[in-house]
């Protein structure tokens, strides 16, 4: 399940993608418009800045802006940054693989086979859906 932090990060990024011509938005404005607690949003934006997804500018016309085009930032990238691997089972994780404690044989595990299909489909959607897609499509085809 997606964490609230990841949801807030995506909402903030979508707000930045929607901002006029890639302009900056003040943290207070994002917080109010997206109903994200300001202190939590500060932490999230700092993580996104460290990952080179957003940039911040000080001063009168300062605030936060996307560092890359909305078409270059995928939901999958943001989800992995905030929540870690996109896998419902540890044995399906690409970057944090771990054998399930109660599994005798991964190759014969029916549960793993079903969730592998779910995981692959989920990754495919998240890795091919960008911020630009989110703001231009009302219904993203599945």
């Amino acid at each position: 399940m997606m964490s609230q932090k990841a949801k807030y990060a995506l909402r903030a990024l979508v707000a930045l993608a929607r901002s006029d011509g890639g302009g900056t938005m003040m943290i207070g404005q994002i917080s109010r418009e997206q109903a994200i607690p300001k202190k939590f949003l500060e932490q999230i934006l700092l993580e996104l800045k460290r990952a080179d997804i957003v940039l911040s500018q000080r001063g009168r016309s300062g605030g936060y802006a996307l560092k890359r085009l909305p078409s270059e930032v995928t939901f999958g990238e943001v989800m992995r940054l905030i929540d870690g691997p996109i896998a419902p089972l540890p044995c399906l994780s690409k970057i944090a693989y771990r054998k399930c404690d109660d599994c005798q044989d991964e190759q014969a595990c029916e549960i793993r086979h079903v969730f592998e299909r779910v995981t692959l489909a989920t990754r495919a959607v998240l890795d091919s859906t960008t911020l630009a897609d989110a703001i231009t499509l009302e219904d993203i085809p599945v």
Side-chain angles (χ1 to χ4, degrees):
M1 181 163 40
M2 177 181 189
S3 72
Q4 188 65 43
K5 185 177 180 181
K7 195 174 188 179
Y8 285 160
L10 288 166
R11 284 179 27 200
L13 289 170
V14 167
L16 290 172
R18 285 186 186 278
S19 70
D20 298 328
T24 61
M25 290 181 74
M26 298 297 288
I27 196 165
Q29 180 184 2
I30 300 169
S31 173
R32 280 189 308 280
E33 289 179 7
Q34 299 301 317
I36 303 171
K38 189 175 177 181
K39 285 289 184 191
F40 200 23
L41 181 57
E42 288 172 355
Q43 295 169 6
I44 292 167
L45 289 171
L46 186 58
E47 278 187 62
L48 294 171
K49 183 179 175 182
R50 287 185 190 132
D52 284 332
I53 296 173
V54 300
L55 54 87
S56 64
Q57 297 175 354
R58 293 183 180 263
R60 200 162 141 135
S61 61
Y64 283 87
L66 289 177
K67 190 169 182 178
R68 302 187 318 221
L69 295 173
S71 61
E72 297 174 346
V73 180
T74 68
F75 273 55
E77 174 185 9
V78 176
M79 295 268 315
R80 284 182 187 91
L81 173 70
I82 302 298
D83 284 348
I86 299 171
L89 298 171
C91 63
L92 293 172
S93 176
K94 287 181 177 181
I95 59 174
Y97 170 86
R98 183 176 51 81
K99 187 177 186 301
C100 295
D101 296 333
D102 57 348
C103 186
Q104 301 298 318
D105 180 9
E106 280 184 9
Q107 300 307 316
C109 179
E110 298 85 359
I111 294 168
R112 184 181 196 276
H113 290 299
V114 171
F115 278 93
E116 182 174 31
R117 290 174 44 209
V118 170
T119 302
L120 292 173
T122 301
R123 285 179 188 151
V125 171
L126 293 174
D127 290 337
S128 65
T129 304
T130 66
L131 297 176
D133 295 328
I135 63 174
T136 57
L137 297 178
E138 289 187 22
D139 246 348
I140 299 173
V142 180

